Structure formats: structure tokens, C-alpha cells
């Protein structure tokens, strides 16, 4: 399965349109996703770099993360990740 991959990698593997302009280097916010609260709360804290990039993202919510920074866990099976509409 995709456990251990990032949300960004899984999106690309499944031909889901989630841009990752900086290739997971935390240098852009193009892979911004909104997670269900229960999943978000169970994740490690975002880094300062990630938070800086999320500040620049469009449509950020309380459960926003960068897709390149969130690793898929078994608990995430079947969750729905929202990809906010970009510009």
C-alpha cells in the first residue's frame, strides 16, 4: 500500500491533481491539503518551515498541511483529503 509515502506522492501515483512545484522541499505551498480533524490532530506538529509556507497558501484552514510533509499511516485508510482550489 501507500503507508509511509507522503500525501503528495500518493496523489501523483494515483494521477490526482496535486501540484508539488518544489518536489517536497518545503519551498512552496502548491501541495496544500485540508485534512479531517481527527487525522490532523494525530499528526506530528508541522515544522516552522511548513507553517511559513502554509501562511502563503490559498484557503488555509485549521487542519491544513502541506501534502509533501504528511506521511500516510494505516489509520488514514479511506480518509478524504480536500485539495483547496488554487488560483
Amino acid at each position: 500500500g501507500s503507508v509511509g509515502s507522503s500525501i503528495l506522492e500518493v496523489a501523483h501515483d494515483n494521477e490526482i491533481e496535486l501540484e508539488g512545484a518544489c518536489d517536497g522541499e518545503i519551498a512552496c505551498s502548491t501541495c496544500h491539503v485540508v485534512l479531517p480533524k481527527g487525522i490532523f490532530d494525530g499528526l506530528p506538529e508541522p515544522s516552522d518551515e511548513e507553517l511559513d509556507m502554509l501562511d502563503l497558501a490559498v484557503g488555509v484552514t485549521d487542519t491544513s498541511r502541506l501534502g509533501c510533509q504528511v506521511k500516510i499511516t494505516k489509520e488514514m485508510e479511506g480518509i478524504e483529503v480536500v485539495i483547496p482550489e488554487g488560483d
Side-chain angles (χ1 to χ4, degrees):
S2 25
V3 169
S5 300
S6 71
I7 289 177
L8 179 63
E9 292 163 338
V10 171
H12 288 179
D13 289 347
N14 292 285
E15 294 178 13
I16 294 165
E17 292 227 352
L18 180 59
E19 196 184 332
C22 77
D23 287 331
E25 297 293 318
I26 322 184
C28 73
S29 61
T30 54
C31 66
H32 167 219
V33 294
V34 178
L35 301 171
K37 185 160 173 39
I39 295 294
F40 179 88
D41 289 344
L43 292 172
E45 290 288 304
S47 64
D48 289 344
E49 292 85 356
E50 182 178 352
L51 291 171
D52 288 347
M53 286 303 124
L54 284 170
D55 283 344
L56 309 172
V58 180
V60 173
T61 73
D62 289 344
T63 62
S64 286
R65 290 293 302 263
L66 294 182
C68 68
Q69 295 303 298
V70 178
K71 297 288 185 214
I72 303 286
T73 63
K74 235 171 62 188
E75 292 71 43
M76 290 186 188
E77 225 167 302
I79 67 159
E80 202 165 283
V81 172
V82 177
I83 300 173
E85 288 299 312
D87 346 322

